[in-house]
Amino acid sequence: MLSPEAITDLRLHNDRYVTSFKEYSNVTIDHSNDESGETQGLPFGDHETQESEGGEADLHKYLVGCKKNPGHSQFIPVNTFTLEHLPKEYQDTDLYEFIKVVADLTVRVDVKMTSSDRPIFWPKTTRSYPFYNISDTRSFRTGSGRVWLVNKFCDGFTQDEDNGSTDYTKCWCRKCEDSDSPRNVWWQFIVITATHVVFDDKEANQTTLRLFYDTDDSRVVNIDTVNINYIDIEYDRCMLNCVTCDNGLGERLSNLWKYYENVWEKLTVKYCDSTSKHKLNFIVSHPHGCSKHVSIGQWKVKIDVDGRSQFTYTSCTCPGSSGAHVQCVGHNEGSCWWFNLVHTGSLKSGLDYSGAGALW
């Protein structure tokens, strides 16, 4: 579990690299591999948000007509995912439970507008930034994200050991903001996604998160009160502040987060000295904005970027996977795993790649 001090340090570290769109240069980064198999600089390919002219109603049309992964045979529906789907050397109960709880915390990110403040280029490149100067600001797109750091509050004071803080004394969800009697008990949490999915508060204010979308007939559970915690444009990571005063939903998320932390701690010990050549990688996402799927593959190349790292990998992704949590199980440094990796895009080589993450 990250302490409040560690979270603050991480945000300050990230703030050093949050680049104003007015300051972007046209310097192209070298992507060539060195002899160690690692690269210097960021790769750039195609982003994997799912755009839909017809809104949510057309998403299954894109699923059926997918050209990248026709039939989606390498995607495992989350409700049918079993231990046997893992490679034999990774058929471990704790790892299986970890993937399942990551899946439970995975959300679909729906964005209904595009900010006019998006930059022309990715930082320090001449690569076009997604959705810059888009003509229809009402466009609908989907990505994926993951719930992180769930805290319960009562009258503005945290009820959890995470010691989260808030500027509010009452719930600040849309329903409570319009109410004469807002609730005094609520849950705040963060959703981590990609900055190219949700760029700023203009877009966050038009963003909805769908939770527990595991099958086509899953009950619709939405969060519609979202704002920006921070953005890291260069390394494509965005943290969204989210809130709910629904007791059932809040307790469910809180319990899932506590279970996630418990299993995570077990795995960091179990795999801290892993020398596996399989280099397991997994991703849970909402391909084409449809129900949740698990992808299992390998990470291939580690790319060093200013003390952070990003990875390329073979786990299947599709439009709609942008912003999904990326986990490279077989890679660690000492007792640490790379965390906060999010899926960014797809390369012409056929590999997919993440944004840059930090050690935990």
Side-chain angles (χ1 to χ4, degrees):
M1 179 180 68
L2 290 176
S3 67
E5 293 78 11
I7 296 167
T8 299
D9 289 344
L10 176 60
R11 288 173 181 165
L12 290 174
H13 188 56
N14 282 327
D15 285 346
R16 293 172 52 206
Y17 300 100
V18 176
T19 309
S20 167
F21 70 95
K22 295 179 181 179
E23 299 172 343
Y24 292 171
S25 68
N26 293 341
V27 178
T28 301
I29 298 175
D30 179 13
H31 310 311
S32 60
N33 288 353
D34 62 24
E35 293 180 356
S36 68
E38 299 179 351
T39 65
Q40 301 294 324
L42 303 172
F44 288 93
D46 296 325
H47 69 83
E48 292 205 301
T49 55
Q50 176 64 68
E51 302 167 74
S52 177
E53 294 179 359
E56 186 168 2
D58 278 354
L59 292 177
H60 274 85
K61 177 182 74 174
Y62 297 105
L63 177 73
V64 173
C66 176
K67 295 181 179 179
K68 182 182 180 185
N69 292 295
H72 299 89
S73 60
Q74 300 302 309
F75 287 84
I76 308 164
V78 68
N79 63 317
T80 64
F81 178 67
T82 67
L83 192 66
E84 285 68 36
H85 284 109
L86 293 170
K88 287 186 178 179
E89 64 185 291
Y90 281 104
Q91 289 182 3
D92 172 82
T93 301
D94 287 332
L95 179 57
Y96 171 73
E97 289 298 321
F98 180 64
I99 296 173
K100 291 288 285 184
V101 74
V102 168
D104 286 336
L105 294 171
T106 295
V107 305
R108 190 181 75 181
V109 182
D110 302 344
V111 189
K112 302 177 182 66
M113 69 89 65
T114 300
S115 172
S116 59
D117 292 331
R118 282 184 173 243
I120 302 174
F121 304 115
W122 286 93
K124 303 175 184 176
T125 79
T126 55
R127 295 287 302 192
S128 298
Y129 196 78
F131 309 115
Y132 167 73
N133 201 25
I134 192 167
S135 58
D136 184 2
T137 58
R138 299 167 298 172
S139 61
F140 178 84
R141 63 181 180 276
T142 71
S144 301
R146 176 178 59 110
V147 172
W148 192 59
L149 289 178
V150 182
N151 281 290
K152 182 179 180 180
F153 288 90
C154 181
D155 295 321
F157 295 96
T158 182
Q159 305 296 295
D160 295 303
E161 60 185 22
D162 282 344
N163 297 318
S165 62
T166 184
D167 295 328
Y168 301 93
T169 58
K170 300 292 183 181
C171 178
W172 48 280
C173 73
R174 293 186 192 276
K175 184 177 179 180
C176 284
E177 283 188 334
D178 295 334
S179 172
D180 294 331
S181 54
R183 296 194 177 185
N184 70 324
V185 177
W186 71 95
W187 288 259
Q188 291 180 191
F189 57 96
I190 287 171
V191 164
I192 302 175
T193 186
T195 302
H196 79 264
V197 175
V198 184
F199 182 76
D200 59 14
D201 267 324
K202 293 178 184 178
E203 296 184 3
N205 288 335
Q206 297 296 318
T207 293
T208 301
L209 309 172
R210 182 169 179 181
L211 286 65
F212 311 121
Y213 183 17
D214 296 348
T215 64
D216 290 346
D217 57 357
S218 291
R219 183 172 69 92
V220 176
V221 179
N222 284 338
I223 296 291
D224 63 0
T225 307
V226 178
N227 60 48
I228 295 292
N229 181 292
Y230 81 75
I231 60 169
D232 185 331
I233 303 169
E234 185 171 357
Y235 301 132
D236 202 28
R237 189 163 61 251
C238 171
M239 293 175 70
L240 302 171
N241 293 319
C242 312
V243 62
T244 182
C245 57
D246 181 303
N247 289 335
L249 176 57
E251 291 295 345
R252 184 177 181 183
L253 288 174
S254 183
N255 290 334
L256 285 170
W257 173 248
K258 290 172 183 176
Y259 185 63
Y260 171 93
E261 289 186 304
N262 182 44
V263 180
W264 171 259
E265 289 178 1
K266 291 180 182 179
L267 289 181
T268 55
V269 173
K270 184 174 290 188
Y271 289 99
C272 71
D273 294 321
S274 173
T275 57
S276 170
K277 294 181 180 180
H278 185 82
K279 303 197 296 187
L280 183 74
N281 169 268
F282 75 83
I283 297 171
V284 184
S285 71
H286 287 279
H288 304 286
C290 296
S291 58
K292 199 178 298 177
H293 286 69
V294 179
S295 303
I296 303 293
Q298 295 178 318
W299 64 266
K300 290 295 185 182
V301 178
K302 170 177 169 285
I303 303 157
D304 288 331
V305 188
D306 298 328
R308 289 176 170 84
S309 284
Q310 63 180 155
F311 293 82
T312 61
Y313 37 84
T314 64
S315 297
C316 286
T317 60
C318 272
S321 296
S322 277
H325 176 65
V326 176
Q327 187 64 68
C328 300
V329 177
H331 187 279
N332 61 80
E333 294 191 7
S335 60
C336 298
W337 279 12
W338 293 91
F339 85 119
N340 280 359
L341 293 171
V342 299
H343 179 62
T344 288
S346 178
L347 299 169
K348 290 182 179 180
S349 66
L351 294 176
D352 296 317
Y353 67 102
S354 72
L359 278 172
W360 182 84

